[in-house]
Amino acid sequence: MKKLMTMTRQFRDDENGAAMVEYTILLGIITVAVIAAIIFVGGWVGTQWTTLQNTLPQP
């Protein structure tokens, strides 16, 4: 247990550990933004295809 506490303190005091946490949070935010953009663009493209299909004359 003492070894775990020592490792936790070292990780907390290490600047690289803090930077890693910041980069992980940033990566999560970027991932959410990309997924939201894909969903938005996919919906828009689907609407455009539906509009085109309804506009074209039926054979």
Side-chain angles (χ1 to χ4, degrees):
M1 183 70 168
K2 188 173 182 176
K3 184 176 180 181
L4 178 63
M5 293 301 291
T6 303
M7 287 175 51
T8 305
R9 283 190 198 103
Q10 287 174 349
F11 183 74
R12 181 193 64 197
D13 295 338
D14 187 16
E15 291 294 325
N16 293 330
M20 183 175 64
V21 170
E22 292 169 359
Y23 286 131
T24 303
I25 291 170
L26 184 61
L27 180 63
I29 292 170
I30 291 171
T31 302
V32 168
V34 167
I35 290 171
I38 289 171
I39 290 171
F40 174 75
V41 170
W44 179 80
V45 169
T47 303
Q48 295 300 314
W49 278 111
T50 303
T51 303
L52 178 63
Q53 180 183 9
N54 292 335
T55 304
L56 294 174
Q58 299 297 322

